[in-house]
Amino acid sequence: MSDVRRFLGQNSLSLFFGALFLAALVGQSFAGWAAFNDTQAADGLVPVGWPEYVTSSSFAADVAENWQSEYLQFLLYIWATVWFVQRGSPESKEPSQVGRESDHAQEVGAAAGPGSPRWAAVGGLRRTLFSHSLLIVMGAVFVLSWFAQSVAGTVAHDEEQLASLEAPVSWGGYVTGADFWNRTLQNWQSEFLAVGSMVVLSVYLRERGSPESKPVGARDDDTGAEG
């Protein structure tokens, strides 16, 4: 197998979703551009070009709004699965493993193996940071995308206000207003529903060969098993 084929085969899952992401983002840009120009025409304003739209605050707010809700979903899911369990779900640990688990179970410190990441074997701040690195990065991306949404949303909102000959609002006024939280909570509730549904449905339903599912013949109360 050539190096390229080996790379594609070993990274096919991330490449697949990366391609889907780019395709969806491009599709959103063209659909959003058409919808934006429909609104412009209805308001008697001049249509804008695609490059102008994809660099606009309106497009940036829509994109960041979705990103922050997705990263919030994973941020909470990563944290919640440390402390909460769901009997029978492959998305859950066994009830006896609730919490951060022992150094031996986590293969850190003296229990680290020869192939373990270097920071797993050391102590102090480096091990602490590495032990929570996934949560830290997910949280940072959530905060940054939430902030980007709030800033771009403020600009887009003020542009609409000025077009309607109404007074613009400050960033603080926008993020405490109904428009911002209406858009934000629409995304959050759908993410929480999707994750909760996955946790519960995976107790009783199967997908053969998927690590997100239990083996087809596993008992319904078999917790943490992967297919």
Side-chain angles (χ1 to χ4, degrees), residues 69-102:
S69 65
E70 295 293 340
Y71 279 95
L72 175 64
Q73 171 197 133
F74 284 110
L75 172 67
L76 292 178
Y77 189 65
I78 292 165
W79 176 83
T81 51
V82 174
W83 303 104
F84 301 106
V85 298
Q86 177 61 52
R87 184 182 181 189
S89 176
E91 303 294 319
S92 168
K93 299 191 293 186
E94 292 283 357
S96 61
Q97 297 175 326
V98 168
R100 301 201 183 280
E101 304 178 13
S102 67

Side-chain angles (χ1 to χ4, degrees), residues 73-74 77 91 190-200:
Q73 171 197 133
F74 284 110
Y77 189 65
E91 303 294 319
S190 64
E191 302 298 344
F192 300 153
L193 175 63
V195 172
S197 297
M198 180 64 181
V199 169
V200 175

Side-chain angles (χ1 to χ4, degrees), residues 26-27 31 34 44 58 62 82-83 95-96 100 108-109 117 137 156-157 170 187-188 195 202 210 213:
V26 171
S58 178
D62 288 342
V82 174
W83 303 104
S96 61
R100 301 201 183 280
V108 298
V137 171
H157 178 76
S170 65
N187 284 276
W188 287 7
V195 172
S202 62
S210 174
S213 166

Side-chain angles (χ1 to χ4, degrees), residues 137-181:
V137 171
M138 288 291 184
V141 176
F142 162 67
V143 171
L144 290 173
S145 55
W146 181 90
F147 181 70
Q149 177 204 350
S150 70
V151 172
T154 302
V155 175
H157 178 76
D158 284 349
E159 288 174 350
E160 294 176 0
Q161 290 287 98
L162 292 172
S164 302
L165 302 179
E166 297 181 20
V169 300
S170 65
W171 176 82
Y174 180 71
V175 298
T176 56
D179 180 74
F180 177 77
W181 285 105

Side-chain angles (χ1 to χ4, degrees), residues 40-84:
Q40 290 285 97
D43 293 339
L45 302 174
V46 178
V48 301
W50 181 81
E52 185 179 351
Y53 173 71
V54 295
T55 55
S56 69
S57 57
S58 178
F59 181 68
D62 288 342
V63 171
E65 178 183 324
N66 287 288
W67 288 9
Q68 60 90 2
S69 65
E70 295 293 340
Y71 279 95
L72 175 64
Q73 171 197 133
F74 284 110
L75 172 67
L76 292 178
Y77 189 65
I78 292 165
W79 176 83
T81 51
V82 174
W83 303 104
F84 301 106

Side-chain angles (χ1 to χ4, degrees), residues 104-128:
H104 177 76
Q106 287 292 307
E107 301 181 39
V108 298
S116 297
R118 185 177 62 178
W119 280 27
V122 301
L125 180 60
R126 285 182 294 173
R127 187 200 301 175
T128 299

